[in-house]
Each structure stands twice: as C-alpha cells, then as structure tokens.
Amino acid sequence: QVRLVESGGGVVQPGRSLRLSCAASGFTFTNYAMHWVRQAPGKGLEWVAVISYDGRNTYYADPLKGRFTISRDNAKNTVYLQMNSLRPEDTALYYCARDRNVMVVAASFFDYWGQGTLVTVSS
Amino acid sequence: QSVLTQPPSASGTPGQRVTISCSGSTSNIGSNTINWYQHLPGMAPKVLIYGNDQRPSGVPDRFSASKSGTSASLAINGLQSEDEADYYCAAWDDSLNGWVFGGGTKLTVL
C-alpha cells in the first residue's frame, strides 16, 4: 500500500539549515507530483511547496520562496525539502503528501499523507 | 490570516447535521475546484471530498459538499463521535500560483 515516511526533523538553531526527506513506497513514484505541507503548533495546515513528477516544475508558498527548495530523486523514490535560514516561526510538523496527478494542476488534491516530521527552530 | 476563511469551531450532538463553510475569492474557489480534508488528532490528514463534491472510496456518504461562486460548504449528516476532528478546505489560487488552505474548523461532538 501507499506509504510516505518523512525524516530529517529535529532541533535546529535560528539561521541554520535542515533537509527533510520523504521516502515513498507502494506506488510508482514517477507517476505523481509531490507536496510538503506544514502545521505549526496550535495552528492550521499550511501548504509549503509542490514538485512535478520529473522535478522540472516547482511552486512555493510566497513567504517561503528563496529559503526553501523542494527536489526529488526518482531513482530513490524520495522527495526532499531543503530549508535554509530557518526562523522560529518555521517550527512545525512537516508532512509529505502525494498529489493525485503527475503534473502540478489546479484540479487536483492530496490523496495520501505521511505522519510528519517535527522541526523545532530554537536557540 | 488564511486566504480561505472558515469558522474556527463548530459543534453538534450525535445524529445531528452540521455544516462548515469556506469562503474565498475569484482567484481560488471561484476559479478552481475545492477539496476538504479531515485531520484527526495524532493522525495524518485525510482527503474527505475532492473536486468540489466527490467522495473518495471509503468515505461515508454522511459527508457531502457543495460549491457556489466563491464559497463552499461541507455537510456532515448523522454526526458521530468519531467525526470529532479538524476540517480544512483547500484550493489552488491562480494569483498566488500555489495551494491555499482555510484556517481549519474544529468540530466538537457534544
């Protein structure tokens, strides 16, 4: 069955970097776009970024552009989120989610989600 | 401040019907399909409704949704205790070139 397992979270000081990974299994990874979505403590879901099946198309939430980078390695069935210049407000549970489509299209949805990996930005 | 607006809370007793609203604009709900997600405590979010009003297999028909103009609503009939969760609407925003979520509605079953 479809499985998404996030890793790489932890405690990091403000200004430092962190790379999250999401290992996918149970489906043909190259047939789907992939997302990162986060949830800060006590807050709602916030979409972070999406990458198309081949990695050629990426989109980001406006506030995160320039600091976060989404990428994928189709040989390893893994999607990544590189987070630079981290701030305390980036503290959140980061979820990986599968898009229902191969490309980034508006008429789509997130059909499978991982359990998340917790990132805490604190000195 | 979320791009899509939802009431922060809703409640009902078992067996009741509850509706949750989601308000947006012409660049998101007005132009694109809307999806609804259920987020149970300690669990991964789950798609409840996609494409405005479509239920994935496995989602009970107690859950339904509709869209009109720049607003949408989720309805839960025959409320059950296991429906206690956070509910989020989401849509693609053409102006932002990205996905936007509502702030979420915490549903309490009294």
Side-chain angles (χ1 to χ4, degrees):
Chain A
Q1 77 273 25
V2 173
R3 196 156 181 248
L4 301 171
V5 179
E6 302 92 337
S7 61
V11 180
V12 60
Q13 292 180 327
R16 304 296 289 257
S17 298
L18 204 61
R19 188 178 82 155
L20 305 182
S21 301
C22 170
S25 60
F27 64 99
T28 304
F29 188 61
T30 50
N31 283 354
Y32 297 92
M34 297 294 296
H35 298 262
W36 286 97
V37 177
R38 69 182 183 180
Q39 183 176 32
K43 303 291 185 182
L45 299 176
E46 179 187 17
W47 175 77
V48 172
V50 61
I51 186 166
S52 61
Y53 76 105
D54 58 0
R56 291 186 178 186
N57 300 104
T58 58
Y59 297 86
Y60 298 90
D62 275 351
L64 305 177
K65 283 177 187 172
R67 290 197 303 124
F68 285 21
T69 303
I70 188 171
S71 62
R72 64 191 293 161
D73 184 337
N74 286 344
K76 295 183 178 179
N77 286 359
T78 300
V79 60
Y80 303 99
L81 185 67
Q82 177 68 42
M83 305 185 294
N84 298 330
S85 304
L86 282 163
R87 304 167 182 168
E89 53 265 35
D90 295 319
T91 294
L93 186 62
Y94 284 75
Y95 293 102
C96 167
R98 192 182 82 167
D99 194 289
R100 186 62 181 88
N101 282 284
V102 59
M103 293 298 294
V104 180
V105 296
S108 191
F109 60 99
F110 313 159
D111 61 355
Y112 288 93
W113 299 63
Q115 293 293 326
T117 186
L118 182 62
V119 172
T120 303
V121 184
S122 172
S123 52
Chain B
Q1 204 80 334
S2 301
V3 173
L4 304 181
T5 302
Q6 297 180 237
S9 63
S11 63
T13 56
Q16 268 192 329
R17 172 185 166 92
V18 168
T19 60
I20 297 171
S21 62
C22 176
S23 176
S25 67
T26 53
S27 64
N28 41 66
I29 298 177
S31 304
N32 300 303
T33 55
I34 188 165
N35 308 312
W36 291 90
Y37 298 91
Q38 179 190 56
H39 195 189
L40 294 161
M43 306 283 286
K46 163 189 162 183
V47 61
L48 206 57
I49 300 284
Y50 68 92
N52 298 330
D53 57 8
Q54 302 299 301
R55 272 189 319 275
S57 60
V59 173
D61 59 7
R62 304 188 292 106
F63 295 91
S64 62
S66 62
K67 185 184 99 167
S68 178
T70 59
S71 295
S73 65
L74 172 71
I76 308 173
N77 288 306
L79 198 61
Q80 298 182 4
S81 57
E82 56 260 40
D83 298 333
E84 194 160 280
D86 294 324
Y87 292 84
Y88 296 88
C89 56
W92 177 266
D93 190 293
D94 292 334
S95 297
L96 298 174
N97 246 358
W99 286 89
V100 290
F101 280 93
T105 298
K106 185 176 186 61
L107 175 64
T108 301
V109 180
L110 301 169

mmCIF file of all heavy atoms in Angstrom, chain B residues 31-81:
data_model
loop_
_atom_site.group_PDB
_atom_site.id
_atom_site.type_symbol
_atom_site.label_atom_id
_atom_site.label_comp_id
_atom_site.label_asym_id
_atom_site.label_seq_id
_atom_site.Cartn_x
_atom_site.Cartn_y
_atom_site.Cartn_z
ATOM 1 N N SER B 31 -12.489 29.970 -9.208
ATOM 2 C CA SER B 31 -11.902 29.515 -10.464
ATOM 3 C C SER B 31 -11.535 28.044 -10.474
ATOM 4 O O SER B 31 -11.333 27.465 -11.552
ATOM 5 C CB SER B 31 -10.607 30.296 -10.759
ATOM 6 O OG SER B 31 -10.836 31.676 -10.780
ATOM 7 N N ASN B 32 -11.388 27.466 -9.314
ATOM 8 C CA ASN B 32 -10.866 26.101 -9.228
ATOM 9 C C ASN B 32 -11.693 25.226 -8.301
ATOM 10 O O ASN B 32 -12.486 25.726 -7.499
ATOM 11 C CB ASN B 32 -9.421 26.155 -8.725
ATOM 12 C CG ASN B 32 -8.536 26.960 -9.660
ATOM 13 O OD1 ASN B 32 -8.428 26.662 -10.844
ATOM 14 N ND2 ASN B 32 -7.901 28.004 -9.127
ATOM 15 N N THR B 33 -11.447 23.928 -8.404
ATOM 16 C CA THR B 33 -12.192 23.014 -7.546
ATOM 17 C C THR B 33 -11.671 23.090 -6.112
ATOM 18 O O THR B 33 -10.546 23.511 -5.860
ATOM 19 C CB THR B 33 -12.062 21.562 -8.039
ATOM 20 O OG1 THR B 33 -10.667 21.232 -8.124
ATOM 21 C CG2 THR B 33 -12.710 21.387 -9.402
ATOM 22 N N ILE B 34 -12.522 22.712 -5.194
ATOM 23 C CA ILE B 34 -12.178 22.779 -3.787
ATOM 24 C C ILE B 34 -12.141 21.373 -3.206
ATOM 25 O O ILE B 34 -12.874 20.479 -3.655
ATOM 26 C CB ILE B 34 -13.160 23.672 -3.012
ATOM 27 C CG1 ILE B 34 -12.667 23.885 -1.573
ATOM 28 C CG2 ILE B 34 -14.567 23.114 -3.052
ATOM 29 C CD1 ILE B 34 -13.358 25.005 -0.851
ATOM 30 N N ASN B 35 -11.263 21.169 -2.242
ATOM 31 C CA ASN B 35 -11.140 19.888 -1.567
ATOM 32 C C ASN B 35 -11.297 20.091 -0.064
ATOM 33 O O ASN B 35 -11.027 21.178 0.458
ATOM 34 C CB ASN B 35 -9.757 19.283 -1.845
ATOM 35 C CG ASN B 35 -9.441 19.224 -3.325
ATOM 36 O OD1 ASN B 35 -10.249 18.778 -4.135
ATOM 37 N ND2 ASN B 35 -8.250 19.688 -3.700
ATOM 38 N N TRP B 36 -11.721 19.047 0.596
ATOM 39 C CA TRP B 36 -11.885 19.081 2.048
ATOM 40 C C TRP B 36 -11.066 17.955 2.668
ATOM 41 O O TRP B 36 -11.055 16.828 2.162
ATOM 42 C CB TRP B 36 -13.350 18.907 2.434
ATOM 43 C CG TRP B 36 -14.214 20.070 2.071
ATOM 44 C CD1 TRP B 36 -14.889 20.250 0.893
ATOM 45 C CD2 TRP B 36 -14.525 21.205 2.890
ATOM 46 N NE1 TRP B 36 -15.589 21.443 0.922
ATOM 47 C CE2 TRP B 36 -15.373 22.049 2.151
ATOM 48 C CE3 TRP B 36 -14.163 21.594 4.188
ATOM 49 C CZ2 TRP B 36 -15.884 23.247 2.653
ATOM 50 C CZ3 TRP B 36 -14.663 22.781 4.683
ATOM 51 C CH2 TRP B 36 -15.506 23.595 3.927
ATOM 52 N N TYR B 37 -10.376 18.276 3.772
ATOM 53 C CA TYR B 37 -9.541 17.311 4.479
ATOM 54 C C TYR B 37 -9.998 17.202 5.922
ATOM 55 O O TYR B 37 -10.378 18.197 6.548
ATOM 56 C CB TYR B 37 -8.066 17.728 4.425
ATOM 57 C CG TYR B 37 -7.536 17.774 3.018
ATOM 58 C CD1 TYR B 37 -7.594 18.953 2.282
ATOM 59 C CD2 TYR B 37 -7.020 16.640 2.405
ATOM 60 C CE1 TYR B 37 -7.141 19.000 0.969
ATOM 61 C CE2 TYR B 37 -6.562 16.678 1.092
ATOM 62 C CZ TYR B 37 -6.634 17.863 0.386
ATOM 63 O OH TYR B 37 -6.195 17.906 -0.912
ATOM 64 N N GLN B 38 -9.939 15.979 6.425
ATOM 65 C CA GLN B 38 -10.235 15.710 7.827
ATOM 66 C C GLN B 38 -8.921 15.396 8.535
ATOM 67 O O GLN B 38 -8.118 14.594 8.039
ATOM 68 C CB GLN B 38 -11.175 14.507 7.935
ATOM 69 C CG GLN B 38 -11.538 14.107 9.351
ATOM 70 C CD GLN B 38 -12.257 12.777 9.391
ATOM 71 O OE1 GLN B 38 -11.756 11.768 8.908
ATOM 72 N NE2 GLN B 38 -13.465 12.770 9.945
ATOM 73 N N HIS B 39 -8.691 16.036 9.678
ATOM 74 C CA HIS B 39 -7.459 15.813 10.416
ATOM 75 C C HIS B 39 -7.799 15.407 11.840
ATOM 76 O O HIS B 39 -8.158 16.238 12.679
ATOM 77 C CB HIS B 39 -6.599 17.082 10.414
ATOM 78 C CG HIS B 39 -5.191 16.839 10.842
ATOM 79 N ND1 HIS B 39 -4.297 17.863 11.090
ATOM 80 C CD2 HIS B 39 -4.517 15.691 11.081
ATOM 81 C CE1 HIS B 39 -3.130 17.342 11.450
ATOM 82 N NE2 HIS B 39 -3.255 16.023 11.439
ATOM 83 N N LEU B 40 -7.697 14.103 12.090
ATOM 84 C CA LEU B 40 -7.940 13.579 13.426
ATOM 85 C C LEU B 40 -6.698 13.778 14.273
ATOM 86 O O LEU B 40 -5.569 13.716 13.759
ATOM 87 C CB LEU B 40 -8.294 12.093 13.342
ATOM 88 C CG LEU B 40 -9.623 11.773 12.644
ATOM 89 C CD1 LEU B 40 -9.667 10.329 12.198
ATOM 90 C CD2 LEU B 40 -10.788 12.088 13.559
ATOM 91 N N PRO B 41 -6.859 13.982 15.564
ATOM 92 C CA PRO B 41 -5.710 14.213 16.445
ATOM 93 C C PRO B 41 -4.688 13.085 16.355
ATOM 94 O O PRO B 41 -5.050 11.906 16.438
ATOM 95 C CB PRO B 41 -6.344 14.257 17.838
ATOM 96 C CG PRO B 41 -7.766 14.616 17.609
ATOM 97 C CD PRO B 41 -8.144 14.034 16.292
ATOM 98 N N GLY B 42 -3.418 13.456 16.132
ATOM 99 C CA GLY B 42 -2.347 12.470 16.106
ATOM 100 C C GLY B 42 -2.265 11.638 14.847
ATOM 101 O O GLY B 42 -1.445 10.720 14.744
ATOM 102 N N MET B 43 -3.105 11.975 13.864
ATOM 103 C CA MET B 43 -3.122 11.196 12.614
ATOM 104 C C MET B 43 -2.693 12.064 11.442
ATOM 105 O O MET B 43 -2.628 13.293 11.556
ATOM 106 C CB MET B 43 -4.539 10.670 12.348
ATOM 107 C CG MET B 43 -5.136 9.881 13.475
ATOM 108 S SD MET B 43 -4.473 8.223 13.549
ATOM 109 C CE MET B 43 -5.299 7.490 12.147
ATOM 110 N N ALA B 44 -2.423 11.419 10.323
ATOM 111 C CA ALA B 44 -2.165 12.179 9.104
ATOM 112 C C ALA B 44 -3.495 12.703 8.563
ATOM 113 O O ALA B 44 -4.534 12.042 8.692
ATOM 114 C CB ALA B 44 -1.509 11.274 8.057
ATOM 115 N N PRO B 45 -3.502 13.898 7.967
ATOM 116 C CA PRO B 45 -4.733 14.387 7.333
ATOM 117 C C PRO B 45 -5.201 13.406 6.265
ATOM 118 O O PRO B 45 -4.416 12.640 5.702
ATOM 119 C CB PRO B 45 -4.308 15.724 6.731
ATOM 120 C CG PRO B 45 -3.123 16.148 7.534
ATOM 121 C CD PRO B 45 -2.401 14.863 7.872
ATOM 122 N N LYS B 46 -6.489 13.476 5.969
ATOM 123 C CA LYS B 46 -7.095 12.545 5.013
ATOM 124 C C LYS B 46 -8.052 13.330 4.123
ATOM 125 O O LYS B 46 -8.794 14.192 4.616
ATOM 126 C CB LYS B 46 -7.843 11.474 5.804
ATOM 127 C CG LYS B 46 -8.846 10.649 5.045
ATOM 128 C CD LYS B 46 -9.647 9.804 6.024
ATOM 129 C CE LYS B 46 -10.927 9.310 5.400
ATOM 130 N NZ LYS B 46 -11.748 8.549 6.347
ATOM 131 N N VAL B 47 -8.049 13.040 2.819
ATOM 132 C CA VAL B 47 -8.971 13.728 1.926
ATOM 133 C C VAL B 47 -10.375 13.185 2.152
ATOM 134 O O VAL B 47 -10.596 11.975 2.164
ATOM 135 C CB VAL B 47 -8.530 13.628 0.446
ATOM 136 C CG1 VAL B 47 -8.481 12.184 -0.030
ATOM 137 C CG2 VAL B 47 -9.430 14.469 -0.437
ATOM 138 N N LEU B 48 -11.307 14.107 2.317
ATOM 139 C CA LEU B 48 -12.693 13.753 2.599
ATOM 140 C C LEU B 48 -13.556 13.957 1.356
ATOM 141 O O LEU B 48 -14.432 13.160 1.037
ATOM 142 C CB LEU B 48 -13.190 14.652 3.725
ATOM 143 C CG LEU B 48 -14.300 14.203 4.622
ATOM 144 C CD1 LEU B 48 -13.984 12.895 5.299
ATOM 145 C CD2 LEU B 48 -14.558 15.288 5.679
ATOM 146 N N ILE B 49 -13.316 15.074 0.678
ATOM 147 C CA ILE B 49 -14.038 15.465 -0.521
ATOM 148 C C ILE B 49 -13.018 16.073 -1.484
ATOM 149 O O ILE B 49 -12.175 16.872 -1.067
ATOM 150 C CB ILE B 49 -15.132 16.514 -0.242
ATOM 151 C CG1 ILE B 49 -16.181 15.998 0.733
ATOM 152 C CG2 ILE B 49 -15.755 17.018 -1.551
ATOM 153 C CD1 ILE B 49 -17.175 15.021 0.147
ATOM 154 N N TYR B 50 -13.106 15.704 -2.770
ATOM 155 C CA TYR B 50 -12.257 16.339 -3.769
ATOM 156 C C TYR B 50 -13.115 16.785 -4.949
ATOM 157 O O TYR B 50 -14.269 16.337 -5.090
ATOM 158 C CB TYR B 50 -11.140 15.388 -4.236
ATOM 159 C CG TYR B 50 -11.639 14.194 -5.025
ATOM 160 C CD1 TYR B 50 -11.735 14.235 -6.406
ATOM 161 C CD2 TYR B 50 -12.027 13.029 -4.363
ATOM 162 C CE1 TYR B 50 -12.195 13.150 -7.124
ATOM 163 C CE2 TYR B 50 -12.498 11.933 -5.074
ATOM 164 C CZ TYR B 50 -12.581 11.998 -6.446
ATOM 165 O OH TYR B 50 -13.049 10.926 -7.154
ATOM 166 N N GLY B 51 -12.581 17.687 -5.755
ATOM 167 C CA GLY B 51 -13.328 18.128 -6.934
ATOM 168 C C GLY B 51 -14.687 18.710 -6.596
ATOM 169 O O GLY B 51 -15.668 18.443 -7.288
ATOM 170 N N ASN B 52 -14.762 19.470 -5.543
ATOM 171 C CA ASN B 52 -15.973 20.154 -5.062
ATOM 172 C C ASN B 52 -16.941 19.263 -4.298
ATOM 173 O O ASN B 52 -17.475 19.661 -3.269
ATOM 174 C CB ASN B 52 -16.766 20.816 -6.209
ATOM 175 C CG ASN B 52 -16.001 21.893 -6.932
ATOM 176 O OD1 ASN B 52 -15.159 22.559 -6.330
ATOM 177 N ND2 ASN B 52 -16.271 22.067 -8.202
ATOM 178 N N ASP B 53 -17.219 18.069 -4.849
ATOM 179 C CA ASP B 53 -18.285 17.272 -4.242
ATOM 180 C C ASP B 53 -18.096 15.758 -4.395
ATOM 181 O O ASP B 53 -19.045 15.002 -4.217
ATOM 182 C CB ASP B 53 -19.638 17.669 -4.856
ATOM 183 C CG ASP B 53 -19.668 17.520 -6.374
ATOM 184 O OD1 ASP B 53 -18.704 16.968 -6.946
ATOM 185 O OD2 ASP B 53 -20.650 17.958 -6.989
ATOM 186 N N GLN B 54 -16.867 15.328 -4.693
ATOM 187 C CA GLN B 54 -16.622 13.902 -4.909
ATOM 188 C C GLN B 54 -16.042 13.248 -3.659
ATOM 189 O O GLN B 54 -15.097 13.768 -3.062
ATOM 190 C CB GLN B 54 -15.652 13.708 -6.087
ATOM 191 C CG GLN B 54 -16.145 14.322 -7.387
ATOM 192 C CD GLN B 54 -17.443 13.698 -7.841
ATOM 193 O OE1 GLN B 54 -17.536 12.496 -8.069
ATOM 194 N NE2 GLN B 54 -18.470 14.523 -7.994
ATOM 195 N N ARG B 55 -16.608 12.107 -3.308
ATOM 196 C CA ARG B 55 -16.096 11.372 -2.146
ATOM 197 C C ARG B 55 -15.165 10.254 -2.592
ATOM 198 O O ARG B 55 -15.556 9.430 -3.427
ATOM 199 C CB ARG B 55 -17.255 10.729 -1.364
ATOM 200 C CG ARG B 55 -17.900 11.567 -0.314
ATOM 201 C CD ARG B 55 -18.879 10.734 0.517
ATOM 202 N NE ARG B 55 -19.667 9.821 -0.311
ATOM 203 C CZ ARG B 55 -20.777 10.164 -0.920
ATOM 204 N NH1 ARG B 55 -21.238 11.407 -0.829
ATOM 205 N NH2 ARG B 55 -21.444 9.279 -1.666
ATOM 206 N N PRO B 56 -13.956 10.191 -2.012
ATOM 207 C CA PRO B 56 -13.091 9.036 -2.316
ATOM 208 C C PRO B 56 -13.747 7.770 -1.782
ATOM 209 O O PRO B 56 -14.575 7.828 -0.858
ATOM 210 C CB PRO B 56 -11.809 9.342 -1.547
ATOM 211 C CG PRO B 56 -11.862 10.795 -1.235
ATOM 212 C CD PRO B 56 -13.310 11.141 -1.122
ATOM 213 N N SER B 57 -13.365 6.640 -2.339
ATOM 214 C CA SER B 57 -13.903 5.384 -1.827
ATOM 215 C C SER B 57 -13.522 5.236 -0.361
ATOM 216 O O SER B 57 -12.414 5.573 0.046
ATOM 217 C CB SER B 57 -13.379 4.196 -2.636
ATOM 218 O OG SER B 57 -11.973 4.148 -2.556
ATOM 219 N N GLY B 58 -14.467 4.768 0.418
ATOM 220 C CA GLY B 58 -14.216 4.584 1.839
ATOM 221 C C GLY B 58 -14.751 5.704 2.711
ATOM 222 O O GLY B 58 -14.884 5.532 3.926
ATOM 223 N N VAL B 59 -15.036 6.851 2.112
ATOM 224 C CA VAL B 59 -15.610 7.954 2.889
ATOM 225 C C VAL B 59 -17.128 7.783 2.924
ATOM 226 O O VAL B 59 -17.764 7.662 1.873
ATOM 227 C CB VAL B 59 -15.246 9.315 2.265
ATOM 228 C CG1 VAL B 59 -15.999 10.455 2.971
ATOM 229 C CG2 VAL B 59 -13.741 9.546 2.345
ATOM 230 N N PRO B 60 -17.705 7.749 4.113
ATOM 231 C CA PRO B 60 -19.162 7.520 4.232
ATOM 232 C C PRO B 60 -19.963 8.608 3.524
ATOM 233 O O PRO B 60 -19.537 9.766 3.442
ATOM 234 C CB PRO B 60 -19.393 7.578 5.750
ATOM 235 C CG PRO B 60 -18.066 7.363 6.374
ATOM 236 C CD PRO B 60 -17.056 7.891 5.427
ATOM 237 N N ASP B 61 -21.142 8.208 3.022
ATOM 238 C CA ASP B 61 -21.969 9.182 2.314
ATOM 239 C C ASP B 61 -22.650 10.164 3.266
ATOM 240 O O ASP B 61 -23.437 11.015 2.836
ATOM 241 C CB ASP B 61 -22.997 8.497 1.419
ATOM 242 C CG ASP B 61 -23.933 7.585 2.192
ATOM 243 O OD1 ASP B 61 -23.885 7.573 3.440
ATOM 244 O OD2 ASP B 61 -24.705 6.855 1.544
ATOM 245 N N ARG B 62 -22.343 10.073 4.548
ATOM 246 C CA ARG B 62 -22.795 11.093 5.501
ATOM 247 C C ARG B 62 -22.112 12.436 5.219
ATOM 248 O O ARG B 62 -22.596 13.490 5.617
ATOM 249 C CB ARG B 62 -22.464 10.683 6.940
ATOM 250 C CG ARG B 62 -23.015 9.353 7.381
ATOM 251 C CD ARG B 62 -22.792 9.125 8.860
ATOM 252 N NE ARG B 62 -21.396 8.945 9.222
ATOM 253 C CZ ARG B 62 -20.658 9.855 9.850
ATOM 254 N NH1 ARG B 62 -21.185 11.031 10.174
ATOM 255 N NH2 ARG B 62 -19.403 9.599 10.159
ATOM 256 N N PHE B 63 -20.971 12.337 4.543
ATOM 257 C CA PHE B 63 -20.205 13.537 4.214
ATOM 258 C C PHE B 63 -20.550 13.990 2.794
ATOM 259 O O PHE B 63 -20.516 13.197 1.857
ATOM 260 C CB PHE B 63 -18.698 13.274 4.305
ATOM 261 C CG PHE B 63 -18.216 12.968 5.689
ATOM 262 C CD1 PHE B 63 -18.162 11.657 6.152
ATOM 263 C CD2 PHE B 63 -17.815 13.994 6.542
ATOM 264 C CE1 PHE B 63 -17.722 11.372 7.442
ATOM 265 C CE2 PHE B 63 -17.368 13.720 7.824
ATOM 266 C CZ PHE B 63 -17.329 12.407 8.279
ATOM 267 N N SER B 64 -20.878 15.264 2.644
ATOM 268 C CA SER B 64 -21.175 15.808 1.334
ATOM 269 C C SER B 64 -20.684 17.251 1.296
ATOM 270 O O SER B 64 -20.421 17.858 2.343
ATOM 271 C CB SER B 64 -22.668 15.752 1.025
ATOM 272 O OG SER B 64 -23.394 16.532 1.951
ATOM 273 N N ALA B 65 -20.546 17.790 0.105
ATOM 274 C CA ALA B 65 -20.049 19.154 -0.021
ATOM 275 C C ALA B 65 -20.613 19.786 -1.275
ATOM 276 O O ALA B 65 -21.045 19.104 -2.210
ATOM 277 C CB ALA B 65 -18.519 19.166 -0.059
ATOM 278 N N SER B 66 -20.612 21.110 -1.278
ATOM 279 C CA SER B 66 -21.094 21.849 -2.431
ATOM 280 C C SER B 66 -20.296 23.130 -2.573
ATOM 281 O O SER B 66 -19.599 23.550 -1.646
ATOM 282 C CB SER B 66 -22.583 22.164 -2.280
ATOM 283 O OG SER B 66 -22.791 22.977 -1.136
ATOM 284 N N LYS B 67 -20.405 23.732 -3.740
ATOM 285 C CA LYS B 67 -19.701 24.982 -4.015
ATOM 286 C C LYS B 67 -20.614 25.895 -4.809
ATOM 287 O O LYS B 67 -21.357 25.447 -5.688
ATOM 288 C CB LYS B 67 -18.421 24.707 -4.820
ATOM 289 C CG LYS B 67 -17.564 25.935 -5.042
ATOM 290 C CD LYS B 67 -16.359 25.626 -5.917
ATOM 291 C CE LYS B 67 -16.589 26.038 -7.346
ATOM 292 N NZ LYS B 67 -15.343 26.044 -8.151
ATOM 293 N N SER B 68 -20.562 27.182 -4.487
ATOM 294 C CA SER B 68 -21.322 28.169 -5.234
ATOM 295 C C SER B 68 -20.525 29.460 -5.273
ATOM 296 O O SER B 68 -20.235 30.036 -4.229
ATOM 297 C CB SER B 68 -22.692 28.410 -4.571
ATOM 298 O OG SER B 68 -23.401 29.399 -5.269
ATOM 299 N N GLY B 69 -20.151 29.872 -6.461
ATOM 300 C CA GLY B 69 -19.380 31.112 -6.592
ATOM 301 C C GLY B 69 -18.040 31.002 -5.895
ATOM 302 O O GLY B 69 -17.229 30.141 -6.218
ATOM 303 N N THR B 70 -17.827 31.872 -4.931
ATOM 304 C CA THR B 70 -16.548 31.892 -4.208
ATOM 305 C C THR B 70 -16.673 31.293 -2.813
ATOM 306 O O THR B 70 -15.813 31.522 -1.951
ATOM 307 C CB THR B 70 -16.010 33.332 -4.104
ATOM 308 O OG1 THR B 70 -16.971 34.143 -3.421
ATOM 309 C CG2 THR B 70 -15.727 33.913 -5.487
ATOM 310 N N SER B 71 -17.714 30.513 -2.588
ATOM 311 C CA SER B 71 -17.895 29.864 -1.292
ATOM 312 C C SER B 71 -18.199 28.390 -1.466
ATOM 313 O O SER B 71 -18.662 27.958 -2.528
ATOM 314 C CB SER B 71 -19.049 30.517 -0.521
ATOM 315 O OG SER B 71 -18.751 31.840 -0.191
ATOM 316 N N ALA B 72 -17.931 27.653 -0.413
ATOM 317 C CA ALA B 72 -18.200 26.218 -0.414
ATOM 318 C C ALA B 72 -18.613 25.802 0.981
ATOM 319 O O ALA B 72 -18.402 26.552 1.954
ATOM 320 C CB ALA B 72 -16.951 25.447 -0.836
ATOM 321 N N SER B 73 -19.212 24.627 1.070
ATOM 322 C CA SER B 73 -19.588 24.137 2.393
ATOM 323 C C SER B 73 -19.488 22.624 2.438
ATOM 324 O O SER B 73 -19.691 21.938 1.435
ATOM 325 C CB SER B 73 -20.986 24.607 2.781
ATOM 326 O OG SER B 73 -21.936 24.041 1.917
ATOM 327 N N LEU B 74 -19.162 22.152 3.628
ATOM 328 C CA LEU B 74 -19.092 20.726 3.916
ATOM 329 C C LEU B 74 -20.239 20.413 4.861
ATOM 330 O O LEU B 74 -20.454 21.143 5.836
ATOM 331 C CB LEU B 74 -17.764 20.399 4.584
ATOM 332 C CG LEU B 74 -17.582 18.975 5.130
ATOM 333 C CD1 LEU B 74 -17.433 17.979 3.980
ATOM 334 C CD2 LEU B 74 -16.359 18.903 6.056
ATOM 335 N N ALA B 75 -20.975 19.342 4.576
ATOM 336 C CA ALA B 75 -22.070 18.935 5.447
ATOM 337 C C ALA B 75 -21.805 17.535 5.975
ATOM 338 O O ALA B 75 -21.327 16.670 5.240
ATOM 339 C CB ALA B 75 -23.398 18.979 4.697
ATOM 340 N N ILE B 76 -22.084 17.365 7.243
ATOM 341 C CA ILE B 76 -21.961 16.046 7.869
ATOM 342 C C ILE B 76 -23.326 15.702 8.438
ATOM 343 O O ILE B 76 -23.835 16.388 9.337
ATOM 344 C CB ILE B 76 -20.909 16.043 8.987
ATOM 345 C CG1 ILE B 76 -19.582 16.606 8.482
ATOM 346 C CG2 ILE B 76 -20.720 14.607 9.516
ATOM 347 C CD1 ILE B 76 -18.537 16.803 9.566
ATOM 348 N N ASN B 77 -23.940 14.665 7.895
ATOM 349 C CA ASN B 77 -25.230 14.189 8.390
ATOM 350 C C ASN B 77 -25.020 13.064 9.388
ATOM 351 O O ASN B 77 -24.013 12.350 9.323
ATOM 352 C CB ASN B 77 -26.084 13.684 7.227
ATOM 353 C CG ASN B 77 -26.585 14.822 6.355
ATOM 354 O OD1 ASN B 77 -27.211 15.768 6.839
ATOM 355 N ND2 ASN B 77 -26.286 14.761 5.074
ATOM 356 N N GLY B 78 -25.959 12.922 10.300
ATOM 357 C CA GLY B 78 -25.863 11.830 11.265
ATOM 358 C C GLY B 78 -24.545 11.858 12.010
ATOM 359 O O GLY B 78 -23.810 10.869 12.046
ATOM 360 N N LEU B 79 -24.254 12.989 12.616
ATOM 361 C CA LEU B 79 -22.975 13.207 13.297
ATOM 362 C C LEU B 79 -22.641 12.063 14.253
ATOM 363 O O LEU B 79 -23.515 11.559 14.985
ATOM 364 C CB LEU B 79 -23.044 14.526 14.054
ATOM 365 C CG LEU B 79 -21.746 15.184 14.495
ATOM 366 C CD1 LEU B 79 -20.879 15.512 13.290
ATOM 367 C CD2 LEU B 79 -22.055 16.428 15.309
ATOM 368 N N GLN B 80 -21.374 11.632 14.229
ATOM 369 C CA GLN B 80 -20.914 10.564 15.111
ATOM 370 C C GLN B 80 -19.721 11.067 15.918
ATOM 371 O O GLN B 80 -19.016 11.982 15.496
ATOM 372 C CB GLN B 80 -20.533 9.327 14.296
ATOM 373 C CG GLN B 80 -21.689 8.726 13.515
ATOM 374 C CD GLN B 80 -21.295 7.475 12.749
ATOM 375 O OE1 GLN B 80 -20.169 6.988 12.844
ATOM 376 N NE2 GLN B 80 -22.239 6.942 11.977
ATOM 377 N N SER B 81 -19.469 10.431 17.038
ATOM 378 C CA SER B 81 -18.381 10.873 17.917
ATOM 379 C C SER B 81 -17.028 10.813 17.205
ATOM 380 O O SER B 81 -16.163 11.654 17.446
ATOM 381 C CB SER B 81 -18.340 10.035 19.190
ATOM 382 O OG SER B 81 -18.201 8.663 18.864
#
